[in-house]
Each structure stands twice: as C-alpha cells, then as structure tokens.
Amino acid sequence: MLMKYILSHSSGHKMYVFRYFFCELLCLVNIIGQLYLMNHFFGGEFLSYGLRILHLSSSPQEDRYDHMIYVFPRVTKCIFHKYGASGTIQTHDSLCVLPLNIVNEKTYIFIWFWFMILSAGLIGLLVYRIAIFFSQSIRARLLHLSSSAIPIEICSNICRKVDIGDWWILYTLSWNMDGVVYIEFIEELTKKLSSHKCPPINA
C-alpha cells in the first residue's frame, strides 16, 4: 500500500514540504520578533545585554561597571507619606531595595543567551534547508545516512527521479519504519521507478 501510494502520488508532496520549511522559517521570525520587542521594552539595552555581561566578567574588578544595575536598578528613591505627631501628613525620602530586580537580571541573562542560541540554531537550520532544496547530492547523502545499508548509488538514483517533496516523505519514513523493512522498501521502489522510466527531477 505504501509503495502504491508513493507511485500514484508522485510529485504531489511539494506543498507539504514547503509548508514544513515555512513553519521552521516562522520560528526564526518569532525569535527575531521577540528580540526586537524585548529590546524596545528595555529601551534598546537588551540586544547587547549578554555581551556587556560577558565583558563585565572579564574586566578587572576595579574597572567594572555593572550594566545590570542600569537595566534593573536594585536601589531607588522612595517617598513615604505618614501622619506626624500633630496629625499632619509628613513626607519622608528614603532608599528602597528592589530585591525582585536581582532575580530579574539573572532571569533575563538566561533569556538573552537562550534567544541567541535559538537564533543561531534556526539560522543554521535555514541554511541547511536551502542546501537540501538546491542540492540533489546532499539529499542522496542524507538518504544514505538514514540507512547506511542502502548503497549511495541507489540513493542518488532515487533522488534523480523524485522531487524534493517525495524525497522528504521517503526521508521521514526512515525515522518511522523498521530498518530492514525500510531497506527492502527503498530497493523495491528503485525497481518500480526504473520500470516506470520516470524522467529526472531537478528540484
């Protein structure tokens, strides 16, 4: 049944793989959007926040200027109004400690590094997807790596006869099928594609 489906729906999975890759692109857009909004929220201080923290930790103790205090002040001026001995309201100026900001600065350091790791990973993934889209040899190599028992020649032959949508289906099947069954399936599919004399596919 699986073989029949692949052969009868040949070149019918392009939109599926395009939507899949587009969702991965949306993840990158989401991270970049969050970085922009966070930076706007902190008055332009967030994008360089982690870099300044790293610079602070590597600088001499006497030359350190803690940028975390600038973003998350730990002490502020407070004005208290209370009744005096005569019943009138008196104003008192004092310094208040903001303990929650001590927690916030550590939290946002983690968030900054996490966003940067995600951004770098998603940019690398996007470059990887572009390489898959334009290179049949990379697709053949990945199909071979999914099951090393399949000769690279067979993988190259399949990639020449199917488009990227069908290749993606075959590639994801390797994650969900028994290895022995998958090898037999690929070998039989190669025979079927040869008997159908499918023209080479460029994409």
Side-chain angles (χ1 to χ4, degrees):
M1 291 177 63
L2 185 58
M3 185 75 64
K4 182 179 179 181
Y5 173 82
I6 294 294
L7 294 174
S8 61
H9 293 80
S10 178
S11 302
H13 304 100
K14 275 189 176 181
M15 287 305 301
Y16 168 73
V17 72
F18 288 160
R19 288 194 296 265
Y20 189 95
F21 291 172
F22 180 70
C23 288
E24 293 177 336
L25 176 62
L26 287 180
C27 293
L28 177 60
V29 173
N30 179 29
I31 292 298
I32 293 175
Q34 290 192 56
L35 283 170
Y36 171 78
L37 292 175
M38 200 79 70
N39 188 62
H40 181 71
F41 177 73
F42 286 115
E45 299 290 334
F46 185 71
L47 287 181
S48 58
Y49 187 57
L51 296 176
R52 287 183 297 177
I53 298 303
L54 292 176
H55 177 72
L56 174 68
S57 62
S58 61
S59 60
Q61 185 70 33
E62 60 275 9
D63 298 333
R64 290 186 177 183
Y65 173 74
D66 194 347
H67 293 278
M68 292 185 292
I69 295 179
Y70 177 72
V71 179
F72 295 104
R74 301 169 188 172
V75 178
T76 186
K77 177 184 176 182
C78 299
I79 299 176
F80 292 96
H81 303 280
K82 67 178 183 179
Y83 288 98
S86 62
T88 59
I89 297 179
Q90 297 178 340
T91 301
H92 296 273
D93 291 340
S94 61
L95 292 177
C96 299
V97 178
L98 305 176
L100 185 59
N101 274 358
I102 300 175
V103 177
N104 287 337
E105 67 183 25
K106 305 300 188 296
T107 302
Y108 279 94
I109 290 173
F110 171 79
I111 292 175
W112 187 89
F113 281 103
W114 179 240
F115 278 6
M116 292 302 162
I117 291 172
L118 287 179
S119 300
L122 288 169
I123 290 172
L125 178 63
L126 183 61
V127 174
Y128 171 64
R129 296 306 190 201
I130 293 173
I132 289 176
F133 182 79
F134 287 105
S135 176
Q136 285 186 2
S137 60
I138 293 179
R139 297 203 292 265
R141 179 61 60 181
L142 289 173
L143 198 61
H144 174 67
L145 291 175
S146 66
S147 182
S148 57
I150 303 174
I152 186 64
E153 293 80 11
I154 292 180
C155 297
S156 299
N157 186 40
I158 288 178
C159 291
R160 284 193 299 268
K161 293 181 178 295
V162 300
D163 62 17
I164 189 172
D166 295 335
W167 170 85
W168 181 254
I169 295 296
L170 296 175
Y171 182 61
T172 53
L173 281 175
S174 65
W175 310 339
N176 301 281
M177 291 178 66
D178 179 77
V180 176
V181 177
Y182 182 71
I183 294 170
E184 294 178 355
F185 172 76
I186 292 296
E187 291 175 346
E188 186 64 24
L189 179 63
T190 304
K191 296 176 184 178
K192 295 287 187 181
L193 290 174
S194 300
S195 63
H196 278 69
K197 298 181 179 181
C198 299
I201 303 294
N202 295 323

